Amino acid sequence: MNNIFVYCEVTEERSIADVSLELLSKGKKLAGDLNVKLEAVVIGHRVSNPESLLYPYGVDVIHYADDERLFPYTTLPHTSILLDVFEKEKPEIALFGATSIGRDIAPRVASALRCGLTADCTSLEIGDHFENKTQTEYKNLLYQIRPAFGGNIIATIINPETRPQMATVREGVMKKELFSQKFKGKLKKIDAKKILKDDDFAVTIIERHMEKSKIDIKNSQVIISGGYGVGSKENFNLLFELADILGAQVGASRAAVDAGFVEHERQIGQTGVTVRPKLYIACGISGAVQHRAGMDQSAQIISINTDIGAPINHIADYTIIGNVADVIPKMIKFYKKNSK
Amino acid sequence: MRFRIIVLAKQVPDTRNVGKDAMKADGTVNRAALPAIFNPEDLHALEQALSIKDKIPEAEVILLTMGPFRAAEIIREAMYRGADRGYLITDRKFAGSDTLATSYALSLAVRKLAPYHLVISGRQAIDGDTAQVGPQTAEKLGIPQITYAEEIISVDAKKIIVKRRLERGVEVVNSTLPAAITVHGSAPVCRQRVAKLLMKYKHARTVTELQNETKDYTELYNNRPYLLIDEWTADDLNAQTEMLGLSGSPTKVKKIENVVFQHKDSKVMGSSDKEIETLMKDLMSSHIIG
Ligand SMILES: Cc1cc2nc3c(=O)[nH]c(=O)nc-3n(C[C@H](O)[C@H](O)[C@H](O)COP(=O)(O)OP(=O)(O)OC[C@H]3O[C@@H](n4cnc5c(N)ncnc54)[C@H](O)[C@@H]3O)c2cc1C
Ligand SMILES: Nc1ncnc2c1ncn2[C@@H]1O[C@H](COP(=O)(O)O)[C@@H](O)[C@H]1O
């Protein structure tokens, strides 16, 4: 069987994006299950230290294309290089971040290779499949598991016949885990000049304004999350105050974001970020499936809700029946009192 | 050569307004209870096309959709808002298409409408949220793609300048034409129906729809041929059967599960000072906080 490949996204700082490191962590486990190697493709220019950054994740081979025309990302040059690698190496599985870049390049590559691609997977597993119609047994396929239909169903998708089996996964869905600090793989340089053609530069970037993400709820150990039940922007300040003293971050439900209480970057759930903190305090959140999809892996959940019947309470370790505007100030007060 | 813009749009079940009756007692999705709507981001795509037509009056906007007979509804809707005409790609052979088979069929239809300048689609359809059909159609056509467009800054017969909305910022890019664009939900919303166009096109029908009409419209359609919405089958597109529908779709659905609650034993408490203080102390002593 051939190997697992991860397309590694290069960040503004010319490092490797978190989502790619998360995928490498997952890819290493899948590679273990399949007894194959893990390979990374890095396409960019002057990427800072790909070897020392990636080997600890258990990467056996890094394919590195370094050319000034490859940073910042544009679709066609990256597609040409990736296709060149894939046509030579014939990956068994290819993983991409479900990001602006990953969701731009993965479908284009899948179309060129005429292979299947599943967007936004929430889980990846190895398993078998028996096709009744043709009485064919398929061993060790990639199960690509994702919510569909607005989150009301969970579908398991497979690509029995075509390779690579391709999937995109959102940032924060897989856990980032080092394999071994001592692990060493090898670097293969890609000769970009040989591959790139003039046609690849039909699209040129005129202007870019990228912000460093200011808000980083994903890596926070404690998240204070507010929903529509928080009621107002002003009441959200109470959440920020509690977050401040606990060293936590503030998250939100979509209803709270839609109501304009907080920024979109804080949205947690199927269409926001996925988090798995040590503690998740859900304030005035009902707990719709789409929201739970992004937080139900939290180690501890506290729900503050006026309604004892709110679905979130079913997955909470503690349910405080009460008004957010009343409970949060008390939490602040008693934390301060007891931390001295 | 007229400036030709092809808009790709899909009719989708309204998954964003999943009401109480949307799930059946056995836990499966009740498609019948979900209204079929014009995919929201495809309306943003249509608006981009129409706004180009505002600037280039000789431009024409053609709506292309693949779906069941009923999907002709969104072609009419687009005509009420300013599209010049539309084509419905419909055939049993398309049933079960994944994004690869869909983009194959759409690309054949687009080729049939060549020469064209722009193919504009929505970023993603809300039934699957895959955002794959736009880029895959572009690849099949061999033209560049500009995803997540928020604003078309300028366009002429040879090039287009587009502002893209990315996760962490914006980018302005220049592309040669023809090109494919996918439009982000942050782009301007679509203009409303125009009363005059509603009057003009309210009798627009596909052949299949006409067969189900009780009244005889033969004369009306002879006098006003623009009222006939063309239907294209797999044969009309000269499509290779093995690249359509289920056989042309590398992805298969192995299993569907309904979302179920996992119940935990929750400790329910009130919000008195004493209860909150005890909770905070518990959390601190177990080092979850502090
Ligand atoms: C395709 C799709 C994707 C989606 N993606 C997401 C997503 O990523 N993230 C997400 O969050 N949602 C998402 N949603 C929306 C989701 O379905 C819910 O609408 C949303 O999560 C509800 O937010 P809420 O719990 O804050 O609001 P509500 O459902 O309105 O709940 C408010 C809660 O606050 C309680 N409350 C009211 N007043 C008070 C008070 N004073 N004190 C304490 N409690 C109070 C109420 O009892 C209630 O439980 C998505 C929906 C769809 C269809
Ligand atoms: N059956 C279809 N007919 C026409 N356009 C489609 C169809 N399916 C998808 N599209 C277009 O492709 C975009 C992305 O769809 P998807 O990949 O399904 O999320 C949509 O917003 C539409 O513009």
Side-chain angles (χ1 to χ4, degrees):
Chain A
M1 189 178 283
N2 291 343
N3 295 336
I4 298 183
F5 281 65
V6 174
Y7 170 82
C8 291
E9 251 172 64
V10 177
T11 62
E12 290 304 299
E13 300 75 38
R14 304 192 186 222
S15 181
I16 303 294
D18 269 354
V19 66
S20 308
L21 301 176
E22 292 162 10
L23 286 173
L24 288 171
S25 310
K26 181 71 192 181
K28 190 66 186 173
K29 290 200 187 115
L30 297 173
D33 292 346
L34 295 173
N35 202 8
V36 301
K37 294 208 150 86
L38 176 66
E39 309 199 19
V41 185
V42 180
I43 303 174
H45 181 48
R46 294 203 187 128
V47 178
S48 46
N49 255 319
E51 289 184 273
S52 61
L53 189 61
L54 298 182
Y55 291 146
Y57 289 90
V59 174
D60 296 287
V61 183
I62 301 173
H63 300 263
Y64 181 35
D66 185 353
D67 186 303
E68 61 182 358
R69 295 169 295 171
L70 294 172
F71 185 87
Y73 168 88
T74 46
T75 313
L76 299 178
H78 277 237
T79 304
S80 293
I81 292 198
L82 201 55
L83 283 174
D84 191 78
V85 174
F86 283 6
E87 275 156 8
K88 283 192 193 116
E89 307 285 339
K90 308 238 177 300
E92 179 69 15
I93 291 173
L95 305 176
F96 297 77
T99 57
S100 303
I101 291 177
R103 299 185 79 179
D104 183 74
I105 191 169
R108 185 127 189 151
V109 168
S111 173
L113 298 174
R114 290 197 198 166
C115 64
L117 167 64
T118 305
D120 258 341
C121 296
T122 50
S123 169
L124 297 170
E125 290 164 21
I126 300 295
D128 299 337
H129 176 66
F130 186 76
E131 186 67 56
N132 273 325
K133 223 161 69 192
T134 53
Q135 295 286 303
T136 317
E137 168 102 49
Y138 296 90
K139 288 264 179 231
N140 291 323
L141 291 179
L142 181 68
Y143 286 0
Q144 302 148 45
I145 301 164
R146 75 180 300 252
F149 234 82
N152 293 294
I153 57 176
I154 304 286
T156 302
I157 314 286
I158 48 171
N159 319 337
E161 298 286 353
T162 55
R163 296 292 177 272
Q165 305 168 79
M166 289 178 54
T168 69
V169 179
R170 255 173 222 269
E171 187 169 346
V173 172
M174 302 297 172
K175 254 187 250 169
K176 188 163 95 181
E177 277 168 301
L178 286 185
F179 177 69
S180 154
Q181 281 295 358
K182 290 195 222 80
F183 190 87
K184 283 269 170 308
K186 60 175 185 228
L187 185 87
K188 279 195 191 167
K189 288 226 165 105
I190 301 169
D191 188 354
K193 292 199 177 50
K194 261 200 190 141
I195 300 167
L196 297 173
K197 310 171 294 302
D198 286 350
D199 281 357
D200 288 331
F201 299 94
V203 177
T204 50
I205 297 173
I206 303 176
E207 238 179 272
R208 302 178 84 224
H209 302 281
M210 294 297 145
E211 299 139 23
K212 257 182 111 177
S213 176
K214 313 171 286 278
I215 304 166
D216 185 19
I217 49 177
K218 227 184 38 166
N219 289 320
S220 184
Q221 293 293 324
V222 180
I223 294 175
I224 321 289
S225 197
Y228 194 68
V230 172
S232 64
K233 225 175 164 150
E234 289 65 46
N235 281 350
F236 249 90
N237 286 335
L238 294 171
L239 273 59
F240 280 104
E241 202 182 314
L242 177 63
D244 225 31
I245 62 165
L246 295 183
Q249 281 283 356
V250 172
S253 74
R254 183 158 100 176
V257 172
D258 283 351
F261 298 165
V262 279
E263 309 90 314
H264 179 255
E265 277 162 288
R266 298 190 186 274
Q267 184 174 314
I268 290 168
Q270 195 196 335
T271 46
V273 283
T274 303
V275 296
R276 46 176 103 252
K278 281 199 303 190
L279 176 65
Y280 189 89
I281 307 183
C283 312
I285 293 179
S286 64
V289 283
Q290 294 85 6
H291 187 76
R292 292 201 315 263
M295 50 67 71
D296 61 5
Q297 309 255 338
S298 307
Q300 290 256 6
I301 298 169
I302 298 177
S303 161
I304 305 170
N305 205 303
T306 42
D307 175 12
I308 192 168
I312 188 95
N313 301 342
H314 297 312
I315 59 164
D317 300 277
Y318 297 91
T319 298
I320 304 172
I321 304 301
N323 189 325
V324 173
D326 175 37
V327 174
I328 302 284
K330 283 187 186 174
M331 289 180 125
I332 295 172
K333 179 171 137 198
F334 292 117
Y335 178 81
K336 281 187 177 160
K337 182 177 155 202
N338 289 292
S339 66
K340 300 253 159 68
Chain B
M1 186 170 93
R2 267 184 98 175
F3 194 93
R4 180 168 284 181
I5 308 165
I6 300 168
V7 175
L8 305 181
K10 186 178 187 185
Q11 194 180 42
V12 293
D14 191 358
T15 54
R16 294 194 301 191
N17 287 312
V18 175
K20 286 204 172 55
D21 51 353
M23 300 300 280
K24 293 192 219 157
D26 63 2
T28 58
V29 179
N30 182 8
R31 280 172 193 261
L34 295 173
I37 58 166
F38 204 120
N39 181 51
E41 281 183 324
D42 301 354
L43 278 172
H44 293 272
L46 176 63
E47 174 57 33
Q48 289 304 319
L50 295 175
S51 69
I52 294 176
K53 203 178 143 176
D54 293 340
K55 288 181 221 135
I56 310 179
E58 68 275 19
E60 57 176 347
V61 174
I62 302 174
L63 195 109
L64 201 61
T65 187
M66 174 172 130
F69 295 133
R70 163 164 195 208
E73 288 167 7
I74 68 167
I75 296 180
R76 272 190 294 279
E77 185 62 45
M79 296 202 295
Y80 299 157
R81 296 181 195 231
D84 295 280
R85 61 203 156 91
Y87 295 86
L88 172 65
I89 310 174
T90 191
D91 199 311
R92 283 231 179 84
K93 289 185 190 153
F94 298 138
S97 291
D98 71 0
T99 64
L100 195 72
T102 302
S103 57
Y104 171 67
L106 289 173
S107 69
L108 292 180
V110 172
R111 281 181 193 278
K112 217 171 141 79
L113 292 166
Y116 57 87
H117 294 76
L118 282 173
V119 177
I120 309 187
S121 66
R123 175 187 52 151
Q124 66 189 42
I126 59 169
D127 54 350
D129 286 331
T130 73
Q132 287 170 192
V133 170
Q136 294 190 319
T137 307
E139 192 281 332
K140 299 240 171 302
L141 293 168
I143 58 177
Q145 70 194 40
I146 303 168
T147 47
Y148 327 121
E150 185 172 79
E151 187 191 338
I152 293 177
I153 294 173
S154 76
V155 59
D156 59 39
K158 293 224 164 56
K159 68 168 202 300
I160 188 162
I161 297 179
V162 178
K163 180 165 132 202
R164 305 175 66 212
R165 170 63 50 186
L166 308 176
E167 274 151 346
R168 303 225 162 99
V170 294
E171 200 173 81
V172 178
V173 299
N174 180 354
S175 174
T176 55
L177 297 184
I181 295 181
T182 79
V183 179
H184 194 267
S186 62
V189 296
C190 192
R191 61 197 64 186
Q192 294 301 316
R193 297 172 172 187
V194 180
K196 210 174 71 195
L197 296 174
L198 183 64
M199 288 307 291
K200 181 173 174 189
Y201 290 120
K202 72 177 176 209
H203 289 297
R205 293 288 181 276
T206 60
V207 176
T208 310
E209 285 175 317
L210 279 180
Q211 282 162 356
N212 299 329
E213 298 273 354
T214 41
K215 244 164 82 187
D216 183 11
Y217 283 108
T218 318
E219 210 189 36
L220 182 68
Y221 283 81
N222 283 341
N223 294 335
R224 301 185 202 164
Y226 59 83
L227 287 181
L228 195 66
I229 299 174
D230 276 311
E231 282 173 330
W232 283 346
T233 63
D235 284 344
D236 293 325
L237 299 178
N238 286 321
Q240 290 170 260
T241 309
E242 71 279 6
M243 290 181 62
L244 299 175
L246 279 177
S247 56
S249 300
T251 57
K252 313 276 176 221
V253 178
K254 176 170 172 62
K255 196 170 73 182
I256 296 255
E257 276 169 298
N258 298 295
V259 175
V260 278
F261 277 111
Q262 52 166 152
H263 277 252
K264 262 196 206 170
D265 282 332
S266 187
K267 201 160 143 191
V268 179
M269 47 188 277
S271 58
S272 69
D273 280 12
K274 204 170 135 240
E275 285 165 295
I276 303 289
E277 179 158 22
T278 311
L279 173 69
M280 294 312 273
K281 279 185 179 162
D282 279 357
L283 293 174
M284 291 166 87
S285 63
S286 59
H287 296 288
I288 292 173
I289 55 171

